Amino acid sequence: MNKTLFAHAAAAVAALSAGGGVVAPLLVIGETDPVSLAFYRNFVSVICFAPVLPFIWPKHRIPLTEYGKIALLGILFFGFFPWALNASLQYIPAARGAVGLATIPIQTLIVAVLFGRENLTLAKLIAVGLAFMGVAFVFGLEAINLSTSEYLVGDSLMLLGVFCAAIYSVFGRGTLMRHGPLFVTALAMVFAALALFPLTYFQSGTVGVPVLTREGWLAVLFLGSVSGAIQFSLFTWALRWLPATTTVLYLTLSPVTAMLLGVFLIGETVTSVLVAGLIFILSGILIGSGALSGVTTK
C-alpha cells in the first residue's frame, strides 16, 4: 500500500472516530465543564504519547520559531477546538453539532484559497458541496431548526472551533512535513494541555483527579485515546501526505458515525434517509479524492 492510499485510509478512519468524539462529551459534560474536559482529554492523549515521544523526536535541530508555531497550532487545534466543541454541545444536540463539524471542508477550502495554498476548481466545489449536502440530508430539517434561541450560541461556538481546525489543516501541513506528524501532534498536545491547565484551575478551583462516574471516565478515556491520540495521529499523518482540503473532506463521515452510534447505543433504526445521505457523502469523497489527490499545497 503506497503512502497516498494509506493516507486516504487514515483520513477515513480518523473521520469515523471523530463521530464518536462528538457523542462522547455528551456522556460526561454534565459532570465537568468544557475547559476541564478539554484539558483532561489532552492530558490522557499526552500520557498515550509519552512512551514513544523520545523515539519520534526529530534528530535535527528545531529552531525556537518552530516551537512557537507548534505551540500556536496546538493551542488552536487541541485546545480551543475541543473546548468549543464541548461548550457547543451544552446548547445543541449532537446531530446538529455534527452538521457544524461537517462544515470543515468548506471552511478549509475558503482559508486555503484565500491564502493561496490551493487553487479553486469546479471539482473541489462539487466535491465539498456533495459531501455537505449528504450531511444536511441525513439530519434533515430537524438539524437546521432555529426554534431554540440557544442554538445560535451553540452553532457559533461549533463554527468558531471548526474555523480553528481549518487554520490548523491549512497552515500546519508545512510543519508536519518538516518535523513529522506524530512528533508535531504529540508536542502540540503538550502545549495545549499547558495552556488549558491554568484555565482549568481558574474554572474549577483545583486540578486533580476528577470525580466522575464510570460512564464519565470511559468517555474521558475514549476522548483522550481513541478520539484523541489515535484519531489526531491518523488525521495529521494524512495531512502530511494529502492536501488539506482532501484530508478534511473525509470529516463529513463523522456525523454519520454519530448517528450510527445512536443506532447501536440507543436503538434507533437505519432509515432510507441515512442511506441516501451516505451516498451523497461518499460521492463527494470519491470526487474530491480524484480531483485533489494530485494537488500539492504550498
Side-chain angles (χ1 to χ4, degrees):
M1 180 182 290
N2 61 47
K3 290 181 178 178
T4 301
L5 184 59
F6 187 78
H8 283 287
V13 174
L16 291 172
S17 63
V22 177
V23 177
L26 293 173
L27 303 176
V28 68
I29 198 64
E31 304 176 36
T32 184
D33 60 89
V35 174
S36 299
L37 180 55
F39 169 75
Y40 291 121
R41 177 180 185 173
N42 277 282
F43 187 75
V44 172
S45 296
V46 170
I47 292 176
C48 292
F49 274 117
V52 300
L53 189 58
F55 300 99
I56 61 177
W57 199 283
K59 294 180 175 58
H60 59 269
R61 178 180 174 276
I62 303 176
L64 188 61
T65 54
E66 288 294 284
Y67 282 113
K69 291 178 182 178
I70 295 173
L72 181 58
L73 290 169
I75 292 171
L76 277 176
F77 190 46
F78 301 111
F80 189 86
F81 174 49
W83 167 81
L85 186 148
N86 298 337
S88 70
L89 293 174
Q90 293 180 313
Y91 303 98
I92 56 177
R96 188 181 181 88
V99 172
L101 182 63
T103 64
I104 186 171
I106 298 173
Q107 295 200 44
T108 301
L109 178 59
I110 293 173
V111 172
V113 171
L114 285 179
F115 287 91
R117 298 302 176 108
E118 292 187 22
N119 296 320
L120 181 63
T121 65
L122 180 60
K124 293 179 186 179
L125 288 175
I126 292 175
V128 172
L130 278 173
F132 186 72
M133 281 174 59
V135 174
F137 193 72
V138 165
F139 298 109
L141 295 176
E142 182 63 27
I144 57 174
N145 180 21
L146 295 174
S147 60
T148 304
S149 59
E150 291 184 340
Y151 281 2
L152 181 60
V153 177
D155 291 341
S156 299
L157 286 168
M158 178 61 76
L159 293 175
L160 187 59
V162 168
F163 180 67
C164 291
I167 292 176
Y168 179 90
S169 300
V170 174
F171 293 98
R173 191 169 185 267
T175 304
L176 296 172
M177 294 178 70
R178 286 191 294 273
H179 310 301
L182 292 181
F183 167 73
V184 173
T185 301
L187 190 59
M189 284 182 166
V190 171
F191 283 121
L194 291 174
L196 289 167
F197 181 84
L199 297 176
T200 302
Y201 183 83
F202 177 79
Q203 180 73 28
S204 59
T206 183
V207 177
V209 179
V211 179
L212 304 173
T213 62
R214 177 176 175 274
E215 187 179 62
W217 271 113
L218 288 175
V220 170
L221 292 175
F222 173 83
L223 286 169
S225 57
V226 176
S227 194
I230 296 175
Q231 173 196 322
F232 289 125
S233 293
L234 290 172
F235 178 79
T236 53
W237 194 90
L239 199 60
R240 163 70 176 80
W241 297 102
L242 298 174
T245 311
T246 305
T247 308
V248 299
L249 189 60
Y250 281 95
L251 290 177
T252 51
L253 285 171
S254 58
V256 179
T257 307
M259 176 171 278
L260 290 177
L261 285 175
V263 170
F264 292 107
L265 298 179
I266 305 175
E268 298 177 352
T269 58
V270 178
T271 65
S272 58
V273 172
L274 175 59
V275 175
L278 274 171
I279 293 173
F280 274 115
I281 292 171
L282 293 176
S283 298
I285 290 175
L286 288 173
I287 293 175
S289 299
L292 301 170
S293 59
V295 179
T296 56
T297 56
K298 301 176 183 179

